[in-house]
Amino acid sequence: GAVVSQHPSRVICKSGTSVKIECRSLDFQATTMFWYRQFPKKSLMLMATSNEGSKATYEQGVEKDKFLINHASLTLSTLTVTSAHPEDSSFYICSAVVAGVGETQYFGPGTRLLVL
Amino acid sequence: SQQGEEDPQALSIQEGENATMNCSYKTSINNLQWYRQNSGRGLVHLILIRSNEREKHSGRLRVTLDTSKKSSSLLITASRAADTASYFCATDVRDSNYQLIWGAGTKLIIKP
């Protein structure tokens, strides 16, 4: 149980285009999902907290107009990297918390984004 | 933001040996968790220990927590090549929506 999927697993795009990454909880409802960015050989950097039905809470230094987050249902959150640039290339990981249970985060497999 | 400091940053041992990783944190916590990440993959939850617990076991894993020293350790006994991964500790954030603060991680390599 508590499986989280992420799609796509890998994406290459041209500079200036937008990329949407989906995070789905497959067998549970997630009122809260988290979006992280991870640089090579580094720890997770929290970008934003996504709550179903409300606006995402962004961490300091993360541009909310650049990284659009939508949490439209209890099983789906999306991260859209708008007007992507090479410096946005990174590994993006989402996680979800089981509604009403909390504490443990269940992670998706991550999305490798390369912006040319 | 990161509050955890993990040491060592990297650890290389022979298969069959025990591996110990440490984590220190700065603020009061309700719980501390350990996660594992295989290269280029998502993280997998290993174990959660609450602030009123001192030790917890799960299979070959043993976690200790010393709240007076604000530190935790993860011991993997009888290591296997498949244990090769990065290991992260994470602590909860009071009054947050299940947010976690992550340590820098320990890269563990098990040599066959």
Side-chain angles (χ1 to χ4, degrees):
Chain A
V3 178
V4 176
S5 71
Q6 220 174 306
H7 177 80
S9 58
R10 184 183 295 266
V11 58
I12 301 172
C13 68
K14 292 182 179 180
S15 187
T17 60
S18 293
V19 175
K20 180 185 281 189
I21 303 170
E22 291 187 349
C23 179
R24 291 181 186 272
S25 56
L26 299 185
D27 52 1
F28 66 98
Q29 293 185 331
T31 50
T32 302
M33 289 184 172
F34 299 93
W35 286 96
Y36 295 91
R37 184 172 178 175
Q38 188 177 33
F39 294 99
K41 298 182 181 180
K42 296 293 184 182
S43 187
L44 301 176
M45 184 191 81
L46 179 65
M47 298 175 66
T49 303
S50 170
N51 295 300
E52 186 266 337
S54 63
K55 290 184 178 180
T57 302
Y58 290 82
E59 294 299 299
Q60 194 171 9
V62 178
E63 298 177 59
K64 61 181 180 181
D65 294 329
K66 179 156 187 70
F67 298 100
L68 300 178
I69 292 172
N70 185 290
H71 193 155
S73 77
L74 285 172
T75 59
L76 174 64
S77 177
T78 60
L79 167 68
T80 301
V81 183
T82 62
S83 187
H85 289 100
E87 58 265 29
D88 298 325
S89 298
S90 193
F91 191 56
Y92 293 89
I93 314 176
C94 71
S95 70
V97 173
V98 179
V101 176
E103 295 182 328
T104 299
Q105 292 188 17
Y106 297 95
F107 283 82
T111 296
R112 176 87 47 199
L113 171 63
L114 177 61
V115 184
L116 302 177
Chain B
S1 62
Q2 297 212 51
Q3 105 159 304
E5 295 283 336
E6 282 163 278
D7 77 271
Q9 291 187 343
L11 179 61
S12 181
I13 60 174
Q14 289 295 137
E15 192 168 25
E17 294 180 342
N18 295 340
T20 300
M21 290 159 273
N22 303 297
C23 167
S24 61
Y25 57 92
K26 297 174 184 172
T27 61
S28 296
I29 62 171
N30 292 314
N31 64 71
L32 183 145
Q33 304 180 50
W34 285 90
Y35 288 80
R36 162 201 169 120
Q37 183 182 32
N38 286 74
S39 182
R41 306 288 293 173
L43 279 73
V44 174
H45 178 256
L46 295 177
I47 200 165
L48 180 152
I49 187 166
R50 300 193 185 281
S51 60
N52 61 351
E53 298 176 308
R54 292 296 167 258
E55 187 171 310
K56 205 163 185 179
H57 297 251
S58 177
R60 292 184 296 113
L61 306 180
R62 181 171 79 98
V63 169
T64 63
L65 179 65
D66 187 334
T67 53
S68 66
K69 294 181 180 178
K70 292 187 168 58
S71 67
S72 173
S73 68
L74 170 66
L75 168 67
I76 303 175
T77 60
S79 63
R80 305 168 181 169
D83 294 329
T84 294
S86 291
Y87 292 82
F88 295 92
C89 68
T91 53
D92 68 303
V93 179
R94 285 184 184 275
D95 301 323
S96 78
N97 203 357
Y98 305 123
Q99 195 177 115
L100 295 175
I101 297 180
W102 295 87
T106 294
K107 172 68 177 172
L108 176 64
I109 297 173
I110 308 298
K111 294 179 286 186

